[in-house]
């Protein structure tokens, strides 16, 4: 039994006597009428909080008094405007201060159920501040059992939110973070992986099947790509891919309007989790991976070429951009960069050892390092460096073509990592792109031109057509 609580003696009696309605449009559970709970710091120091914590630490049950404290005093703090600037800290303190020190396992379970139900109600409020809804979903994903592992009942709620296209993307992303935490907690335990797969895979499939890009602001495409990438990273922790899931991942690998990074992660997910039971065409997938590597480099090169043209022709008009002098129209007393005295180069212009301006890097070093990561990941998806894992050895020995492709991608990745410069990336593109069809020799072309045209096929006799 709980000791007599000031909460019961003052809070509930006063509410009943005054007829105050706890639910308001502003925060869902209204506490503005009680200055003692006007902010989280005041709640932490309140006598009601001390009474609650002492009872929970002492093995007390989660009775009506404890439930009332959480639902009417503590949990509503997440939605209070007074806590908005520190909402992340308030969320973490709720879990650590109110839910983490409960020694009675049943009481801990009941408290988590109350917290999850309350947070679900906040998530479902369309008129609530988005940051409140996001933090409510994050708290659901952070709920723990007494063994400090993710609280199992939360997994189904998180998966449902991940798959719910009616929720704001930010809320679904928060649910995705929590679901990933549950998935990662099953690592190395086959039975737990199977249990989690039954909950998580349907949600993951729902995300992967959503359109890659929508006719909305670019941020939506970024959000979609993030969710798809996070879902793909969960798959290897959920056991071998069933055929339907493997087929969906292969589709994303080949989906041209997906971002390159998502497609690279699709290749990695296939390599890490596909098995003979996944029924994928490994030769076709490896061919797609090679094409993806070339396409990724081609995009970087094309972006650099476009930037160069834009700079040279001022947007394609052939005229210098506004404010720039045309060639041959240098102001008096000004010298072209190549004729400037040593030590007087414009700021930011590099000089090579010969004293001439170094070539400008139109492909940033960061893009080169990203390309290195992509190529290495794709190489490992085909065949790891030790030749023991990868799609190439799925169901049998690796083909020479697959081995060569993996080695070529890995070598290009290492070169880019060692020298993350534009020339290295362009060289990798030149080495990996398919060779152009050979032009026919002059004699063969002339012979083809002089060859008589094939005679038209004669119509069949009338009798034969009847």
């Amino acid at each position: 039994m709980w000791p007599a609580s000031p909460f019961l003696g003052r809070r509930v009696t006063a509410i009943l006597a005054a007829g105050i309605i706890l639910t308001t449009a502003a925060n869902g559970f209204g506490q503005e009428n009680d200055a003692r709970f006007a902010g989280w710091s005041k709640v932490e120091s309140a006598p009601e909080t001390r009474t609650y914590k002492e009872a929970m630490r002492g093995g007390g049950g989660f009775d009506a008094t404890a439930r009332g404290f959480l639902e009417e005093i503590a949990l509503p703090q997440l939605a209070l405007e007074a806590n908005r600037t520190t909402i992340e800290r308030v969320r973490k303190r709720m879990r650590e201060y109110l839910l983490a020190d409960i020694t009675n396992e049943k009481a801990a379970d009941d408290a988590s159920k109350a917290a999850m139900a309350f947070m679900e109600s906040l998530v479902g409020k369309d008129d609530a501040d988005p940051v409140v809804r996001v933090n409510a979903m994050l708290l659901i994903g952070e709920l723990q059992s007494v063994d400090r592992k993710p609280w199992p009942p939360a997994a189904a709620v998180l998966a449902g939110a991940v798959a719910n296209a009616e929720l704001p993307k930010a809320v679904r992303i928060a649910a995705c973070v929590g679901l990933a935490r549950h998935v990662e907690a099953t690592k190395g335990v086959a039975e737990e992986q199977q249990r989690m797969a039954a909950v998580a895979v349907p949600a993951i499939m729902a995300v992967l099947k959503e359109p890659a890009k929508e006719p909305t602001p670019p941020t939506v495409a970024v959000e979609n790509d993030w969710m798809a990438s996070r879902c793909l990273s969960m798959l290897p922790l959920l056991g071998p891919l069933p055929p339907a899931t493997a087929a969906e991942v292969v589709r994303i690998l080949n989906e041209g309007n997906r971002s390159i990074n998502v497609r690279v992660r699709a290749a990695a997910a296939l390599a890490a989790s596909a098995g003979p039971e996944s029924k994928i065409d490994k030769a076709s997938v490896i061919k797609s991976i090679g094409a993806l590597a070339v396409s990724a480099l081609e995009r970087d090169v094309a972006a650099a070429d476009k930037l160069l043209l834009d700079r040279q022709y001022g947007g394609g008009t052939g005229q210098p951009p506004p404010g720039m002098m045309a060639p041959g129209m240098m102001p008096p007393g000004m010298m072209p960069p190549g004729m400037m005295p040593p030590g007087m180069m414009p700021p930011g212009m590099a000089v090579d050892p010969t004293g001439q301006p170094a070539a400008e890097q139109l492909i940033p070093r960061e893009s080169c390092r990203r390309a290195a990561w992509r190529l290495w990941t794709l190489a490992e998806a085909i065949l790891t460096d030790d030749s023991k894992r990868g799609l190439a050895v799925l169901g049998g020995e690796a083909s020479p073509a697959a081995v060569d492709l993996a080695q070529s991608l890995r070598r290009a990745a290492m070169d880019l990592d060692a020298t993350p410069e534009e020339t290295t990336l362009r060289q990798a593109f030149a080495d990996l792109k398919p060779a152009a069809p050979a032009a026919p020799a002059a004699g063969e072309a002339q012979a083809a031109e002089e060859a008589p045209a094939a005679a038209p096929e004669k119509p069949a006799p009338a009798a034969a057509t009847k």
Side-chain angles (χ1 to χ4, degrees):
M1 292 293 293
W2 269 45
S5 168
F7 168 71
L8 282 179
R10 296 196 298 269
R11 176 76 174 166
V12 173
T13 303
I15 289 175
L16 291 175
I20 297 174
I21 299 175
L22 293 176
T23 304
T24 68
N27 57 44
F29 292 86
Q31 296 184 55
E32 281 92 351
N33 293 322
D34 196 333
R36 295 178 304 137
F37 309 123
W40 177 254
S41 60
K42 293 187 177 183
V43 169
E44 281 202 12
S45 60
E48 290 87 347
T49 305
R50 288 195 296 272
T51 301
Y52 169 86
K53 286 181 65 64
E54 289 170 2
M56 294 296 98
R57 285 200 192 106
F62 189 75
D63 58 13
T65 303
R67 182 181 299 277
F69 169 76
L70 280 187
E71 294 179 348
E72 298 174 17
I73 294 179
L75 298 177
Q77 290 288 321
L78 194 71
L80 285 188
E81 183 67 32
N83 297 321
R84 195 59 43 85
T85 58
T86 58
I87 190 169
E88 182 180 6
R89 179 183 179 278
V90 170
R91 185 192 83 238
K92 292 180 178 179
R93 288 294 287 170
M94 281 183 176
R95 181 178 62 80
E96 297 168 357
Y97 199 69
L98 303 175
L99 302 172
D101 293 332
I102 304 177
T103 56
N104 182 319
E105 187 170 350
K106 183 179 184 307
D109 194 59
D110 290 342
S112 293
K113 287 179 182 177
M116 184 168 70
F118 190 98
M119 295 304 148
E120 280 190 273
S121 70
L122 285 182
V123 169
K125 289 181 178 294
D126 293 336
D127 59 345
D129 191 313
V131 74
V132 173
R133 301 176 74 182
V134 167
N135 276 273
M137 184 57 72
L138 288 173
L139 182 54
I140 293 174
E142 292 168 349
L143 293 174
Q144 296 179 342
S145 303
V146 292
D147 58 2
R148 296 293 187 266
K149 293 181 179 179
W151 187 55
V157 173
L158 295 165
V162 168
N164 186 355
E166 299 300 317
L167 287 174
K169 283 286 170 59
V171 174
R172 296 178 67 195
I173 287 172
C176 206
V177 171
L179 184 61
R181 186 178 291 110
H182 280 258
V183 170
E184 289 160 4
T186 66
K187 185 177 182 180
V189 185
E191 183 178 346
E192 289 296 306
Q193 286 181 335
Q194 292 177 0
R195 177 187 64 81
M196 187 56 59
V199 175
V201 169
I204 292 172
M205 288 286 282
V207 170
L208 298 183
K209 288 182 177 181
E210 291 181 10
K213 296 181 180 178
E214 300 174 2
T216 46
T219 52
V220 173
V222 174
E223 292 165 344
N224 290 353
D225 287 344
W226 189 95
M227 289 188 64
S229 295
R230 198 69 183 92
C231 287
L232 288 168
S233 70
M234 294 186 216
L235 288 176
L237 298 173
L238 295 171
L241 290 178
T245 308
E248 191 63 29
V249 179
V250 171
R251 182 188 67 79
I252 289 178
L253 171 65
N254 291 307
E255 193 172 15
N257 63 338
R258 285 276 183 185
S259 76
I260 295 293
N261 288 348
V262 172
R263 297 171 66 189
V264 169
R265 288 187 170 93
L270 281 172
S273 51
E277 66 275 22
S278 302
K279 301 186 183 303
I280 66 171
D281 183 347
K282 74 173 187 180
S284 175
V285 170
I286 291 172
K287 183 179 179 181
S288 295
I289 290 175
L292 175 58
V294 174
S295 178
L297 294 172
E298 185 175 24
R299 289 192 186 186
D300 287 336
V301 170
D305 291 344
K306 181 179 183 303
L307 179 60
L308 180 61
L309 286 175
D310 288 345
R311 290 184 179 182
Q312 287 179 336
Y313 298 106
T317 62
Q319 299 296 323
M324 289 186 66
M325 301 298 294
M329 297 178 63
M330 302 297 291
M334 196 169 186
M335 302 175 67
M339 297 176 62
M340 285 187 177
M344 294 187 63
M345 298 300 293
M349 182 174 288
V351 179
D352 69 13
T354 66
Q356 297 299 316
E360 184 180 4
Q361 296 291 315
L362 298 175
I363 302 178
R365 291 173 66 88
E366 292 77 9
S367 296
C368 293
R369 293 195 182 280
R370 180 186 63 186
W373 168 78
R374 289 170 172 174
L375 294 174
W376 181 271
T377 303
L378 295 176
E380 292 286 288
I382 297 172
L383 188 65
T384 56
D385 199 20
D386 59 8
S387 301
K388 293 181 179 180
R389 300 180 307 281
L391 294 167
V393 293
L394 181 63
E397 189 176 350
S399 68
V403 173
D404 289 344
L405 177 57
Q407 290 176 345
S408 297
L409 296 180
R410 189 173 291 106
R411 184 166 51 249
M414 294 174 67
D415 290 344
L416 269 168
D417 184 62
T419 312
E421 297 178 359
E422 179 177 349
T423 54
T424 314
L425 191 146
R426 287 183 179 274
Q427 185 61 53
F429 176 53
D431 293 341
L432 293 173
K433 70 179 180 180
E444 294 175 356
Q446 183 177 358
E449 292 176 359
E450 295 176 353
E457 188 176 322
K458 295 181 179 180
T465 61
K466 292 182 180 179

